[in-house]
Amino acid sequence: MNRTTVRRIAPAALLTSALLAVSSAAVAAPPPPRPDFPPGVVVPAGAACDFALGIAGTGAKARIKTFANGSQIISGKGYLLTYTNADTGKSVSFETNGTSEHTSAPDAENVVTITSRGSTGLILFPPPDASNVPGVEAPSAIQYTGRIVFTFDLDDGRTTLLSASGTQRDLCAELS
């Protein structure tokens, strides 16, 4: 084979290998779906509300994409979230369609920052959980529609609400 032939074949071979690489990535399996909540989740009385608060999350078709650095993006059809006052049986449900969530990779102190847009439920347990948002105290159970940013300590489970915009519904007051 002479040099001219090699020069003509080499670009075609590179293009073919690039197309094969792209097509194999395009047909790779989609990220796994977000699992339903385990059945029977109940937050004890005093930990979020004055009453025991049942929480069910079902029907999610959201996908979780985890990156090499440990950060994640979750998007797609979210849960049907149902909160129930375990004492009275009164409940309220929320479709969380259109919600997206970005979780940062853990920092040096093993804390992640979560930014959620759409409809998101957040339980703040008694201190050490905290809120930097005026009018929101721990403990509380709030359903947000809008954007919230909070941190979560992977070592001790401590949550700190950093900011919130949009509407919020106080689930404890609504279900009392």
Side-chain angles (χ1 to χ4, degrees):
M1 213 184 285
N2 65 32
R3 285 184 168 188
T4 305
T5 306
V6 170
R7 284 187 194 152
R8 288 183 186 154
I9 294 173
L14 286 173
L15 179 60
T16 301
S17 65
L19 288 173
L20 287 173
V22 169
S23 65
S24 67
V27 298
R34 193 172 203 178
D36 284 347
F37 283 28
V41 174
V42 177
V43 178
C49 302
D50 293 336
F51 50 86
L53 179 66
I55 305 171
T58 58
K61 292 191 177 14
R63 298 289 178 179
I64 303 169
K65 171 73 174 163
T66 302
F67 297 93
N69 69 355
S71 66
Q72 290 185 328
I73 293 179
I74 301 172
S75 62
K77 181 184 181 299
Y79 294 114
L80 170 63
L81 283 176
T82 302
Y83 301 94
T84 303
N85 179 327
D87 296 338
T88 66
K90 184 176 180 181
S91 66
V92 62
S93 295
F94 300 91
E95 288 281 351
T96 61
N97 297 335
T99 298
S100 68
E101 186 175 291
H102 175 265
T103 302
S104 70
D107 64 16
E109 296 176 356
N110 213 23
V111 173
V112 295
T113 300
I114 300 168
T115 303
S116 185
R117 293 171 180 83
S119 185
T120 306
L122 184 65
I123 306 292
L124 290 176
F125 293 95
D129 279 6
S131 171
N132 294 337
V133 176
V136 177
E137 302 292 329
S140 61
I142 298 176
Q143 184 70 30
Y144 288 95
T145 302
R147 179 178 186 270
I148 65 171
V149 179
F150 59 99
T151 59
F152 182 76
D153 189 312
L154 297 172
D155 292 329
D156 65 13
R158 186 179 65 244
T159 299
T160 301
L161 180 61
L162 302 177
S163 65
S165 61
T167 60
Q168 63 185 39
R169 288 174 66 175
D170 181 338
L171 298 169
C172 299
E174 194 166 327
L175 294 172
S176 288

